[in-house]
Amino acid sequence: MKPLIAAALGLALLWGCSAQQPARDDSLYQALGQRAGIQKIVEGMLLNIARDPRIVEHFRKIDIARLRDKLVEQFCVEAGGPCVYTGDSMAESHKGQHLTRSDFNALVEDLIKAMEAQNVPVPAQNRLLARLAPMRGEVIEK
């Protein structure tokens, strides 16, 4: 009886180990140039914001290096990459800033310019924007 139990356990282990996990869709992550590409996009966006009189004031007292790092993490996660976001929630990090729809739209325009500068295909741009869009409600007028 013991050999039969051992064989059954062995088969169960073998079967469990060979079962494949569902593949993660990282096609957007790839289209954005993986982590290095995402970092270039974020840095370009931050440079665009620095030159954007519509919203630059919102970033004057921000630790830009930390913001860059957290945005890279967040974009990487949203794109299906192998990252973990370690920052605050959008609601928490924008609390008390009273950002308007116009502020949000200006930031999106600066992001699009950064993606265009990195030659990110328009379909990939749209996919990233669609994944980020739900955050709008957590950011504006808070």
Side-chain angles (χ1 to χ4, degrees):
M1 179 109 163
K2 286 185 184 179
L4 186 57
I5 292 172
L9 285 174
L11 281 174
L13 272 173
L14 185 60
W15 186 26
C17 292
S18 67
Q20 293 185 347
Q21 297 292 325
R24 185 184 77 234
D25 179 9
D26 70 347
S27 60
L28 179 55
Y29 177 71
Q30 299 299 327
L32 295 174
Q34 302 177 354
R35 191 172 180 100
I38 290 170
Q39 185 166 336
K40 287 178 185 176
I41 291 166
V42 168
E43 289 171 352
M45 180 184 76
L46 292 173
L47 288 172
N48 292 339
I49 290 168
R51 296 185 285 257
D52 191 337
R54 300 172 296 173
I55 59 172
V56 68
E57 285 302 317
H58 293 293
F59 294 85
R60 293 251 186 250
K61 296 179 182 176
I62 301 288
D63 179 346
I64 295 297
R66 183 178 191 284
L67 176 62
R68 180 200 62 221
D69 293 346
K70 298 306 158 199
L71 287 172
V72 169
E73 287 176 3
Q74 187 174 48
F75 286 16
C76 179
V77 168
E78 293 297 328
C83 305
V84 174
Y85 177 66
T86 61
D88 295 330
S89 71
M90 290 298 96
E92 184 61 33
S93 48
H94 294 89
K95 190 169 150 184
Q97 293 187 23
H98 308 291
L99 301 174
T100 65
R101 290 181 184 131
S102 295
D103 296 330
F104 186 86
N105 292 341
L107 184 130
V108 171
E109 289 172 22
D110 292 336
L111 172 57
I112 291 169
K113 286 180 195 173
M115 289 191 288
E116 288 173 346
Q118 292 302 314
N119 299 311
V120 174
V122 171
Q125 291 181 34
N126 290 337
R127 286 176 62 201
L128 180 61
L129 293 172
R131 291 186 185 183
L132 297 173
M135 296 176 195
R136 182 177 181 265
E138 298 175 39
V139 171
I140 62 170
E141 301 168 359
K142 300 292 178 192

